Amino acid sequence: MRGTDETSGSLFSYVDLEARIPARHPLRKVRQVV
């Protein structure tokens, strides 16, 4: 890809995944078991 990369920053999410999953979500239990 050539040129400036001014718009490529919006393609990525820098939010912590732990912050996206609620504390009482079933995936947290699955993670403990696995």
Side-chain angles (χ1 to χ4, degrees):
M1 295 173 57
R2 297 182 181 190
T4 61
D5 59 349
E6 295 172 3
T7 59
S8 65
S10 62
L11 297 175
F12 302 101
S13 176
Y14 298 101
V15 178
D16 184 25
L17 291 178
E18 294 292 327
R20 289 185 173 224
I21 301 173
R24 299 187 58 127
H25 196 278
L27 282 177
R28 294 201 179 267
K29 292 287 184 186
V30 171
R31 185 176 182 188
Q32 290 175 357
V33 172
V34 172

